[in-house]
Each structure stands twice: as structure tokens, then as C-alpha cells.
Amino acid sequence: MEVLFMGLREKLELLGVSRRDFLKFCTAVSATLALPPAMAPKVAEALEDDNRPAVIWLEFQSCSGDSESLLRSGRPKAADLVLDVISLDYAEVLMAAAGHQAEQAKHDSMEKNKGKYVLIVEGSIPVEDDGIYCCIAGDTALNQLKKAAAGAAMVIAVGNCASFGGIPAAYPNPTGAKGVADLVSGVPVVNLPGCPMNCDNLTALIVHYLIFGTLPALDNQLRPKFAHGKRIHDNCERRGHFDAGQYVEKWGDEAHRQGWCLYKMGCKGPQTWHNCPTLRWNDGLSWPVMAGHGCVGCSEPGFIDTMSPFYRRLPEVPGFGVESSATSVGLKLVGVATAFFAVHGVVSIIRNRGTVKKVEEEYYEKEEK
Amino acid sequence: MADRIVVDPITRIEGHLRIEAKVENGVITDAWSSSTMFRGIEKILQGRDPRDAWYITQRFCGVCTTVHSIASIRAVENAVGMKVPFNAEMIRNVIMGMQYVQDHVIHFYHLHALDWVDIVSALSADPVKTAALQESISDWKYSSADYFKGIQDRLAAFAKTGRLGPFGNAYWGHPAYKLPPEANLMAASHYLQALEVQKEIIKVHAILGSKNPHPQTFLTGGMSIPCDPNSQNAINADKIAMIMECNKTAREFVEKVYIPDIIAVAPFYLDWAGIGKTSGNYMSYGEFPDGREGHPNNLWLPAGIIKNGDLSTVHPVDHTKITEDVVHSWYEDTGPRHPWEGATDKKYIGPKPPYDYLDVEQKYSFVKSPRYEGAPMEVGPLSRMLVAYASGHKEVQDVVNHVLTTLGVGPEVLFSTLGRTAARAVETLIVARKMESWLMALAANINTGDYAIHDNSKWDPSTWPVQAQGYGWHEAPRGALGHWIVIQNKEIKNYQAVVPSTWNAAPRDDKGVRSPYEEALIGTPIADPEKPLEILRTIHSYDPCLACAVHVYDEKNELKSKVKIL
Ligand code: SF4
């Protein structure tokens, strides 16, 4: 019976995870959340209580990349996350039940935890032709989303598709795909974009919610500032080379091998707000620029239309150590995006790729002069 | 319709799949496979830079997260004539090889095992006997009674909270579960271990490609991870050592856990060697270029086709003989077409949601029906292993024969649900053993001073012909995958992908012939129509990946008037 009342830490101890390792994890979460290290004990406390929030994970027009990202979680490990931190009551990729038993499990959890469960959404939602382009258990994604969101404490949109429409919403958006925030009202929505989302950010968000019972500060795209408060370019380890005007010119050239700046190979770091360079991926092992490929801007609204072609360099980011102009370009490009969103709504704005092209061309013309 | 059972969603797969099956006297007599989600990515690709296609098509699927990138870069390389450097080919082999191993491990332990393993039964196991069982099948390090007691306690604590999360409301206690409690406890602990192992070994993709899922390192004409033993920003001795470590972990787990588990569990489920047979056509495009000539030469796993289960002849594969038809798919009828001409307009005439049943006499899926010389083909690990076995592939023959002899059965059992699951394990083993050789070939080549990773001569689209078309094949973990591209004025004019789950999960074709999922379900016993566990077994044995299967583009048209109200 004692086991029943054990907190996460005791259970981890049973499995050979030391107090020290546990606190290390708590400190890592605090760091991701940009909390002072002194908060680590509070993080530990929040994790030790058996107050696992019920989580319903819905997949719509997705590739399951975010579900897979969840399985790569290292801090805490996926098994601990799924067994000890949350109660994952519905998740198509992992759950044992199928068909109407699965739907029943979802229904039961939603009833029992009404107003308290966390709804996680992966994939965009098609709205054209009454939503027939994504049906689960005989009903549309749109209806499924609305029903589930109605009783949720908050909705977390994971990945760019659920956040902003992502790939399915790219021009010409054949199915009328939209992101969650565009379709749900009356419930707080948090976007964790990225393609896929980085699971460490999801863990940090859930832990924040467990500790404070509130959402972290969000930016104007509903992204947590702890994850999206700084541009890739500002934290990039190759920034010194950018400032020194040292660029990769060809794949595999000496500059590429020595880890110089990828700006001329199309890197979108200067206009992308994400913590990839500091958090990194797969237990902090690497991230795109570190492995030699430019950033493609996957955490931004309008991705992929505003970020492609991927290998064309951004306009007007001058080479020789001019911090101010780089910043202004970043702001300018974000400004372009923001102006769009103001006019057309936050998500699915890139209906008309011609407009994007026009804006881009204006920049390129200026660049050429 | 009372005799028709519906499983929707089929869980523990990628994407959205619905199975409807007719059950008579406890046996499935007919079945329909339907995918109910589509995104239109091929349409989204039109007009874009062909060099961006790998990134976009990679998002067909986040589970088999490398495969579309590979097929896509090969299609563009084929179209504009790029020559991939040897280093890049070997890096691709290492990435693809680890995709096979990690994907198969996840599939078996996390997507498929719960069809055979009853977690609840594990609670009543004797940890001492479980330890004895573990020790009898291999010398795996986690084998003490204390260890199993710890796992059991953890599961018990979890169960007592009454909040079972992903294990809630499943088919526990179903009569089709046959394993003794000790085997269930052993398997449950392997489920947890595999969760840890898969995330460790896939670090190979992060080392070589920045992250997983969706590694970001592919380029048409090569790879973007540089090679240089004298730089910390490139593949160097340190990174090679890290990859070796991952390979070692992978190989050890496959040799000491995965394969012994299959051999230990199979005898309890030998009846499944007689269930899940298809028409006997198996196709493989072949994979892993093993020489300096590059893909598609010198493939380590051979390409070929086996017809009607006849292992005495392996037929060559010719891409011009592939067609897709849409008689039962929600698109305008065009007749069977080769992918280069594949142009399809969506035409949803299914029921208006929410619905109980699909109208299976008409169109009933967003998946098209691909055919080779007009015949359905099963693709995947079983097809690959059969083609290799029949072609005289030494490593494959050795492992297959070892498994068959240990179980005391003949090769005919391979044509089944159990055979599909066993073939996947066999393949994982031989690939896990082979990976080191590609890594060593890469290291040896770097050691000669060759650091090339990319064919720069054709990178600039101005070097391309005005009009070009190509195709890229990749034997993905789930089977034969092909991308077809038409390039005009440096932009994508047409793009079509015919993916493994399209071959396997398709609806009937123009002649009413069933595709593999549908065919494999015929004759499956159903103990309890309320809990169709048996359907999951056969469908999961294919490792479905549905978001990949549905990607066909469409033109906007007036649909609302055509929606059929039942
Ligand atoms: S342009 Fe890209 S590679 Fe260069 S410093 Fe900025 S983020 Fe880093």
C-alpha cells in the first residue's frame, strides 16, 4: 500500500534514480522555464504530489511527429512522463484501446475531469466542405476539437500545424486547414510550434502549470516566452562568424566544415523565435545549425510560405558585424508577418501566396540595389 | 448492418485508419480499409523549389521520419542528374539503417506488443519465475527477480491509482491473450526498456542530422553534415565513436531482447501462422547501396517481385508498370494512371459526418489503389525478407532458417500475420549487425582525405534543363516507397508519391480485387465482436502509416451538392 502513496521521487528512487539526479532534472526544468535556480525545490514539490493532470491528446491533420517527439522525452524520460507526471488518458499513437473503447475512454476522462483536463492538439483542422477531410470515429476533427475544448482547462497546440496551420495550410491550403487558436474560444490556448515541437518545452509548460496553476507569459503569437522569447540568431553558436562576415558558400567547403555562419545558405535564424540553440534536441545533443543545415523557421506563423524557398538567403542582413541592422531586419520581417496577421487573423493567413511573393520581391529588389 | 463491426480509430499507428469488417459465425468474411484524413501535400508542392521538396514531403510522416526525405532527394537527383558523393551515401545508409532498427523496435514493443501481451496479467506473475524465464532466453542484463519485482510494484502502484492513462479500457482479459503471467511481466518490462532504448539509439539521427523526429540534414545532391576529422563541427572520430555506441546498444537490445522475445512468444501464437495471408504477391525496391557506384546500384537488400507465393522465381521491378486507380477512392475517376500522369480531383461522396458506416459499395477511402501489372502487391519487411530469401541473400537466409528451425516450422508460415511480425524482427537483426560496416566505410573514406558530402555542380537550378522528370525509390521500413517528380522551369510541376501504406491499405481496385489489409483479414476469427482484438493483430502486423498513404492533391470544386446524405 505504501507504494500507492509514493510521490514521483520515491518511485524514481525505487527504480534507482537518485535524489541528486531528480533535483538535476528539476533544475533543468527551472532553467527551461527561465526560473531562478532557487525554484528547483518548488518544481520538485509540484512533481512529487500525485496530482497528475488528465491529458487528452488529439491528432488531426498531423504526421504524428509531435507524438514521436513526446516519446523522445529525456527530461523526464518518456516512461516517467507518461506514467508519473501526467495521466495520458487518450493518445492515439500510444493507447492500448482502439475503436469505440478508445472513444469511451476519452469520453469518461472528459466527464470525470471536466474543466480540469489539459487538451493537447496535434495537427491542423480542415474546415472546408464541412470538415470531411479529417474524420475520426465517424465525426469530423472540427466537431471533435470543439467538444473536447469545451471542458478543458487549457488547450496546448503542439507543432506548427496545430499552432498556425503548418504544412497543410500552406498555399493553396487544399483543405482549408487551420490552427487551434483560430477555432477555439473561451479556453486559454498556448502554442508550442516547431516542426515538431520540442518535448522539453512541453514538459516545462506542464510543470509551470503544475507549480503555479497558471499559464506562463505568452507572446503575441500565444507562444510561451520562455521558449520563444529570443531569436535563434541571438543565441546561435555561429553568431561570431556572422558578425565577422565568415560565411559558408558551398556545402562541404572549408567554411562549412569549420562551422561558419549558414546565412548565405538560407538560414532563417534571424527571423525565427525559438530556443533551439540553448535547449537543443534529443537530450540536448544537437540542433539544425549545429549539424550544418540552416534554420528553416518552423516555429513561425505562415511557415512554410513565409520561409521558403529554404535555400534562398534572407534579404538585407548585412555581413560585417552590424548588430543593429540584423536586429532591424529581424524586426522588419517579423513586422511584415505581424501586419499580415493583424489584417487576416492570426492563423491561415497565407491564402494568397502571391501577396507573400510580392512582399518578398520588394525586399529582394531593395537588396539588389 | 448488425454483423458489420467498425474499428475507428485504429490506434497505435500513424494516421487515421478505419476498418469495417463483416463477421459471420465468429469469422471475418469481408473487410474494408479506409483512411479518413487527407491534406493535399502534393498540391502544396506545385510551383515550389524542388530542393525544398524533401523537407515538405518529410512531413508526410513523423514516425518513419526520414523516408520521404530520401525518396524525394533521390527523385530530384534522378531528374537533374546529380551524383551523390560516397560519404553522403554512407551517411544516408547509417541514417536509414537506424531508422529501420528504431522504428521496428518501437513498432514491436509500443505499437504491436499489447495485441499479444496482457499487462494486467503481469500483475499476478511470480518475479522469481519471471527471472528464470528471462535467463532461459538470453543473457540480458535486466534479469533479476528484484528487478522484475520492482517493475511489478511500479505497475501495481500505477494500477491502484485507478488512473490507467494509455492502458485504460483496453482488451485485458480477452480470451485471445495466451501468454502466462510471467511472460506478460517480462514483456511489460521490455516495453519500458524499449521506450528508453529507442530514444537512446535514435541519437544517431541527432548526431548526423540535428534532431529526431524530422532530422534536418538532407540535401538534393548530398547531405549537409560535413566530414572533417580535424573539426569539431563535422563528422569526426568523436561523432563516429558516439554512433558506434548507439549501434552497439541497438544491436545488443535486438540480439538479447527483441529476437528472443519473438522466439519465446511465437509458440503461444502459432495459430497466427495460418491467419493473415494475402494473395501472395510481394514487392521490394531494394535498399542500401553497398558499393561506390551509389544508389540504385549494388543494393545490399535486393529489389524484386514474388508472384503468388512462388519463391522459386524473383521477377525484376519496372517502374513503368505501376499504376493507381481511384474507382473506390474519393477522387474523380480517371482510369488507372502512371504516377507521372497522376492527376486526381477530390470527390467526396461518402456519408455526412457523424456517420456509423461507410458506403463500401461506392467510394470509401482517401487512399488510392496502386497496382503492379494490374495486381495488388504486399510491401514491407515480409516482402523484403522473402525477396532476399528467394534471391539467395546469405544473411537473410541464415537468420530466417535459424528462427524457423528453432520454432520447428517451415517457410510457409511466413505468409501470415505471425510471419509479418517475425520477418520484421529478422530484418531488424540483420540491419543492426550491418550498420557498423557502413559507418566503417564512411570512416575509411574520410581517412583518405575525401571530405566531399555534396555535388555542388548541379545545386544551382540555372544548371538544370528546362524540363526534367525523375523518380526516387527507397525501401522504407514499412515497404516500397516511390516519389515521382516533374520539374519545369526550375519549379515542381507535378509530384506524386506512392507509399507503402498506399499499397497495403488501399481500397478495392477497378476489378473489385481487395488490397492486402482487406485480403489479410478474411478468415480471421473474432471471439468477441465487441472487442475485435484479432483485427488489431493483423492490421498492426503491417505497421500502418496512414498520413503517408493519403497525400494526393486535389483541385477546388463544388462539393457540398455531392455529399450523399444517408
Ligand atoms: S544566420 Fe543562422 S547560422 Fe548564422 S548566426 Fe544567424 S542563426 Fe546562426
Side-chain angles (χ1 to χ4, degrees):
Chain A
M1 271 313 272
E2 272 89 323
V3 180
L4 175 57
F5 298 107
M6 274 184 186
L8 171 66
R9 188 179 56 76
E10 282 92 342
K11 279 189 238 161
L12 290 178
E13 260 169 19
L14 193 75
L15 291 167
V17 177
S18 70
R19 175 83 191 159
R20 202 168 141 264
D21 283 348
F22 179 65
L23 281 176
K24 247 206 254 160
F25 158 66
C26 295
T27 312
V29 171
S30 309
T32 308
L33 284 165
L35 298 174
M39 284 302 289
K42 193 129 202 221
V43 172
E45 201 179 292
L47 286 174
E48 279 169 350
D49 294 340
D50 186 18
N51 58 355
R52 295 177 297 150
V55 173
I56 308 275
W57 184 302
L58 298 181
E59 263 193 81
F60 298 131
Q61 282 179 306
S62 78
C63 69
S64 300
D66 303 286
S67 295
E68 285 284 324
S69 195
L70 176 80
L71 295 182
R72 306 293 180 273
S73 172
R75 303 174 281 198
K77 290 173 187 167
D80 303 333
L81 183 64
V82 169
L83 297 181
D84 297 325
V85 179
I86 59 176
S87 180
L88 191 58
D89 293 346
Y90 185 92
E92 279 187 49
V93 164
L94 266 186
M95 67 191 304
H100 64 258
Q101 279 86 0
E103 293 306 294
Q104 189 65 43
K106 180 174 77 180
H107 178 83
D108 292 349
S109 175
M110 277 164 44
E111 285 296 309
K112 208 174 125 212
N113 303 296
K114 211 179 194 122
K116 289 187 295 193
Y117 61 86
V118 176
L119 175 64
I120 298 183
V121 179
E122 169 175 8
S124 52
I125 300 98
V127 300
E128 238 170 68
D129 300 318
D130 301 323
I132 50 142
Y133 299 109
C134 183
C135 288
I136 298 135
D139 206 358
T140 60
L142 192 58
N143 287 339
Q144 302 261 13
L145 172 67
K146 293 211 156 144
K147 264 184 234 162
M154 66 159 153
V155 188
I156 306 175
V158 293
N160 196 302
C161 296
S163 298
F164 307 123
I167 302 253
Y171 177 83
N173 194 349
T175 59
K178 288 179 180 247
V180 172
D182 226 17
L183 299 168
V184 162
S185 55
V187 189
V189 175
V190 184
N191 288 329
L192 280 183
C195 193
M197 60 105 193
N198 190 328
C199 192
D200 290 345
N201 283 330
L202 177 65
T203 314
L205 177 63
I206 289 175
V207 171
H208 186 287
Y209 179 69
L210 289 178
I211 300 171
F212 301 114
T214 59
L215 295 178
L218 304 179
D219 71 2
N220 61 355
Q221 303 300 338
L222 304 178
R223 301 176 294 196
K225 285 186 177 165
F226 70 74
H228 298 274
K230 284 190 177 153
R231 285 182 300 151
I232 296 256
H233 190 60
D234 294 333
N235 283 325
C236 178
E237 65 245 26
R238 302 193 178 195
R239 179 57 183 269
H241 295 293
F242 175 88
D243 290 345
Q246 296 174 321
Y247 301 115
V248 177
E249 305 277 350
K250 272 188 184 150
W251 303 111
D253 67 6
E254 174 76 19
H256 192 217
R257 300 203 302 273
Q258 293 303 324
W260 288 10
C261 172
L262 289 158
Y263 161 66
K264 286 191 176 177
M265 307 311 280
C267 181
K268 305 293 185 283
Q271 66 182 81
T272 304
W273 301 71
H274 207 176
N275 57 356
C276 292
T278 46
L279 190 64
R280 299 182 183 166
W281 294 78
N282 301 85
D283 293 342
L285 205 52
S286 189
W287 69 288
V289 167
M290 190 171 170
H293 193 287
C295 163
V296 294
C298 68
S299 60
E300 296 306 307
F303 173 78
I304 51 182
D305 289 328
T306 49
M307 298 291 171
S308 56
F310 298 136
Y311 301 101
R312 188 165 71 184
R313 74 178 160 115
L314 285 172
E316 289 200 344
V317 183
F320 296 90
V322 192
E323 159 67 18
S324 60
S325 48
T327 305
S328 75
V329 167
L331 289 177
K332 219 181 280 172
L333 287 165
V334 170
V336 170
T338 316
F340 266 39
F341 306 138
V343 179
H344 298 283
V346 181
V347 197
S348 305
I349 37 73
I350 315 297
R351 286 297 173 86
N352 187 345
R353 196 158 162 248
T355 317
V356 178
K357 263 195 173 145
K358 222 176 89 204
V359 174
E360 283 178 354
E361 272 158 18
E362 278 168 21
Y363 275 99
Y364 285 106
E365 270 165 30
K366 267 198 223 155
E367 184 194 22
E368 266 141 36
K369 270 175 209 156
Chain B
M1 295 246 205
D3 63 339
R4 203 194 299 172
I5 53 178
V6 177
V7 190
D8 181 6
I10 296 272
T11 49
R12 284 180 277 129
I13 65 164
E14 196 293 319
H16 300 291
L17 174 68
R18 174 185 180 98
I19 295 290
E20 298 195 7
K22 196 169 159 190
V23 179
E24 286 169 300
N25 304 319
V27 173
I28 293 178
T29 55
D30 210 347
W32 297 268
S33 159
S34 168
S35 177
T36 50
M37 185 277 272
F38 107 132
R39 294 176 288 177
I41 292 181
E42 281 154 324
K43 180 68 181 169
I44 290 166
L45 284 163
Q46 287 180 8
R48 293 183 192 269
D49 187 332
R51 297 172 303 174
D52 289 356
W54 75 260
Y55 185 94
I56 298 165
T57 59
Q58 185 176 46
R59 274 72 189 161
F60 280 157
C61 180
V63 177
C64 43
T65 171
T66 55
V67 308
H68 295 286
S69 316
I70 303 269
S72 180
I73 51 184
R74 282 179 178 166
V76 179
E77 286 157 3
N78 176 259
V80 304
M82 291 170 169
K83 196 156 169 13
V84 180
F86 183 73
N87 287 336
E89 288 282 18
M90 288 303 112
I91 296 169
R92 289 179 188 180
N93 275 0
V94 174
I95 288 178
M96 292 186 294
M98 190 49 90
Q99 180 70 39
Y100 268 61
V101 176
Q102 188 254 10
D103 202 8
H104 287 350
V105 165
I106 288 201
H107 175 263
F108 182 67
Y109 286 99
H110 307 120
L111 307 183
H112 199 20
L114 300 181
D115 301 337
W116 313 98
V117 173
D118 185 338
I119 299 266
V120 172
S121 147
L123 296 176
S124 54
D126 176 349
V128 176
K129 283 193 199 151
T130 310
L133 172 66
Q134 175 74 69
E135 277 160 20
S136 75
I137 66 168
S138 76
D139 62 343
W140 178 233
K141 55 193 165 191
Y142 300 110
S143 63
S144 72
D146 279 355
Y147 172 79
F148 288 114
K149 175 87 173 54
I151 295 288
Q152 199 178 37
D153 285 348
R154 185 180 196 193
L155 292 175
F158 184 73
K160 279 182 205 154
T161 64
R163 302 177 66 201
L164 296 182
F167 306 112
N169 217 30
Y171 303 143
W172 314 130
H174 192 286
Y177 283 118
K178 303 277 195 237
L179 297 181
E182 286 71 26
N184 283 317
L185 177 57
M186 183 178 77
S189 69
H190 294 167
Y191 177 103
L192 294 173
Q193 289 164 16
L195 212 45
E196 175 68 10
V197 164
Q198 58 88 20
K199 116 178 156 48
E200 286 306 310
I201 62 180
I202 206 60
K203 285 180 177 168
V204 168
H205 285 186
I207 296 163
L208 294 174
S210 79
K211 65 186 171 83
N212 176 288
H214 294 329
Q216 194 160 316
T217 186
F218 301 97
L219 295 172
T220 54
M223 298 296 288
S224 68
I225 175 89
C227 298
D228 189 339
N230 299 311
S231 168
Q232 65 182 38
N233 295 93
I235 297 178
N236 52 22
D238 180 37
K239 293 201 170 66
I240 287 172
M242 284 165 78
I243 295 167
M244 276 173 76
E245 198 55 35
C246 292
N247 284 354
K248 213 179 100 201
T249 306
R251 186 174 163 167
E252 190 189 17
F253 188 79
V254 175
E255 285 178 342
K256 294 189 177 175
V257 183
Y258 187 4
I259 293 286
D261 277 353
I262 290 283
I263 292 175
V265 165
F268 293 94
Y269 290 112
L270 274 186
D271 47 335
W272 286 85
I275 299 170
K277 194 172 182 313
T278 58
S279 56
N281 298 325
Y282 300 93
M283 181 171 77
S284 164
Y285 290 162
E287 194 46 272
F288 300 109
D290 215 14
R292 299 201 72 94
E293 300 83 358
H295 188 269
N297 306 299
N298 270 321
L299 299 179
W300 176 61
L301 290 177
I305 288 176
I306 286 165
K307 293 181 181 167
N308 305 314
D310 174 12
L311 294 178
S312 67
T313 316
V314 178
H315 305 266
V317 196
D318 171 0
H319 90 92
T320 62
K321 293 181 175 169
I322 295 169
T323 53
E324 289 192 294
D325 87 62
V326 292
V327 168
H328 287 285
S329 317
W330 285 314
Y331 306 105
E332 293 283 359
D333 293 329
T334 54
R337 287 194 179 191
H338 182 271
W340 271 331
E341 280 94 50
T344 318
D345 303 328
K346 73 186 175 193
K347 183 188 181 182
Y348 184 79
I349 56 163
K352 185 177 159 58
Y355 50 79
D356 291 326
Y357 297 98
L358 293 168
D359 182 359
V360 294
E361 299 304 316
Q362 307 282 327
K363 294 172 181 288
Y364 59 90
S365 180
F366 281 120
V367 180
K368 296 205 271 184
S369 295
R371 292 294 183 257
Y372 187 88
E373 288 179 325
M377 290 285 150
E378 173 170 343
V379 301
L382 176 58
S383 302
R384 264 189 308 266
M385 292 302 97
L386 288 173
V387 168
Y389 190 87
S391 309
H393 191 283
K394 176 99 177 41
E395 290 122 300
V396 172
Q397 286 189 336
D398 285 354
V399 181
V400 170
N401 289 339
H402 167 72
V403 172
L404 294 177
T405 328
T406 313
L407 293 175
V409 291
E412 66 286 349
V413 304
L414 291 169
F415 306 114
S416 67
T417 295
L418 190 65
R420 229 168 263 125
T421 298
R424 188 174 291 106
V426 166
E427 171 172 281
T428 313
L429 179 66
I430 64 156
V431 173
R433 285 177 174 168
K434 178 72 179 171
M435 281 192 302
E436 181 125 345
S437 78
W438 296 317
L439 188 64
M440 287 304 108
L442 171 66
N445 195 57
I446 293 174
N447 204 27
T448 66
D450 175 5
Y451 302 157
I453 42 137
H454 187 251
D455 175 6
N456 286 307
S457 68
K458 297 276 174 60
W459 176 247
D460 186 343
S462 67
T463 61
W464 301 352
V466 176
Q467 178 90 29
Q469 59 182 25
Y471 70 101
W473 275 356
H474 168 38
E475 227 356 87
R478 286 171 182 77
L481 165 66
H483 284 204
W484 280 260
I485 191 171
V486 180
I487 299 172
Q488 197 171 33
N489 297 325
K490 310 170 188 62
E491 286 184 353
I492 296 171
K493 181 157 178 268
N494 195 6
Y495 202 102
Q496 292 283 318
V498 183
V499 320
S501 296
T502 315
W503 287 99
N504 291 337
R508 286 154 167 69
D509 64 17
D510 50 346
K511 297 186 275 304
V513 175
R514 294 186 197 95
S515 296
Y517 285 8
E518 298 181 336
E519 187 64 31
L521 285 171
I522 309 295
T524 301
I526 298 288
D528 177 359
E530 277 299 301
K531 296 179 175 169
L533 174 64
E534 299 90 340
I535 290 182
L536 294 183
R537 286 185 177 167
T538 291
I539 294 298
H540 281 155
S541 74
Y542 283 96
D543 194 1
C545 192
L546 267 293
C548 300
V550 184
H551 40 71
V552 182
Y553 79 73
D554 63 290
E555 295 296 341
K556 290 208 175 201
N557 52 11
E558 281 305 306
L559 263 168
K560 289 187 182 75
S561 57
K562 292 180 191 158
V563 173
K564 189 171 162 191
I565 317 266
L566 286 185

